Amino acid sequence: RDIVVDVNRSQPFPAMAHLTCSGHTRAQIGELLDEYAAAGVHNILALAGDPPADGTDPGGDFTYATELVSLVRDHPGDFSVGVAAHPELHPRSAGDREADRRFLAAKLEVADFGVTQFFFEAGDYLRMVDDLAALGCTTPVLPGIMPPINVAGLIRMTTMNGSVLPAPLMERLEPVADDPHAVRDIGVEVATDLSRRVLDAGAPGLHLYALNRSASVLRIVDNL
């Protein structure tokens, strides 16, 4: 909270607070929203949140992100609310594409925008957009682009998220896994190409995952 408020106050761009269902009560979320509104923070990303790695129940009053969106909507503060989208299907969808898209469309219907999990194939994002359009969903969804900066971390994150790592990408990254500069160069090239593809196909913008490393993001922006 303190970091979000400080960034929003001290930087020439708005900060977006991330709220998660996992482990939070309605009272806790309400207090946070009061503090954000008082500090001029009006952008919220409402997420289900990752369950604890040890499989324990995190507790809290929420199960689904839509419940969190409803609370934010009913709370004073004139908030803009975003939600997560998964081009390669939600990890809890069990591979049922039709049901996954229906649930996603319903979630986007109550939100102002969506931001996707990272992906590496433009076709996955474009198919999701087409699926949503077929369901009458017009809420804009920003594609999430993550430039690889560390091979071991990339493998860990894709395993956790259920994202697909294309074989051609890994064939380029694995031989240079111990060379951070080479990995970064490949990551910037791949992310720039993916960004161009989705923007040319009509994406409403980009969400670039910085992972606390600005260099790759700045290069991608310059390339675009």
Side-chain angles (χ1 to χ4, degrees), residues 55-71:
T56 57
D57 183 356
D61 294 338
F62 306 93
T63 302
Y64 301 108
T66 49
E67 299 171 284
L68 194 55
V69 174
S70 295
L71 187 149

Side-chain angles (χ1 to χ4, degrees), residues 1-79:
R1 177 205 58 195
D2 292 346
I3 293 172
V4 171
V5 169
D6 183 63
V7 167
N8 201 68
R9 179 181 60 246
S10 63
Q11 300 298 324
F13 47 79
M16 182 182 300
H18 291 44
L19 299 181
T20 64
C21 297
S22 185
H24 286 107
T25 66
R26 290 182 174 275
Q28 289 172 329
I29 295 295
E31 290 176 5
L32 274 173
L33 293 173
D34 286 340
E35 293 169 355
Y36 282 140
V41 176
H42 299 289
N43 299 285
I44 303 291
L45 191 62
L47 306 167
D50 297 322
D54 60 6
T56 57
D57 183 356
D61 294 338
F62 306 93
T63 302
Y64 301 108
T66 49
E67 299 171 284
L68 194 55
V69 174
S70 295
L71 187 149
V72 177
R73 288 294 193 211
D74 293 338
H75 202 90
D78 189 28
F79 294 104

Side-chain angles (χ1 to χ4, degrees), residues 50-133:
D50 297 322
D54 60 6
T56 57
D57 183 356
D61 294 338
F62 306 93
T63 302
Y64 301 108
T66 49
E67 299 171 284
L68 194 55
V69 174
S70 295
L71 187 149
V72 177
R73 288 294 193 211
D74 293 338
H75 202 90
D78 189 28
F79 294 104
S80 174
V81 187
V83 294
H86 295 77
E88 299 171 276
L89 305 186
H90 194 285
R92 291 187 294 197
S93 70
D96 186 342
R97 180 175 297 275
E98 185 177 343
D100 176 272
R101 296 312 192 218
R102 287 201 309 270
F103 284 124
L104 177 56
K107 182 167 66 171
L108 287 166
E109 187 66 28
V110 297
D112 294 299
F113 63 95
V115 178
T116 80
Q117 181 57 271
F118 65 85
F119 59 94
F120 295 101
E121 298 286 356
D124 290 324
Y125 170 78
L126 299 177
R127 181 176 181 182
M128 180 197 68
V129 171
D130 288 343
D131 290 344
L132 291 169

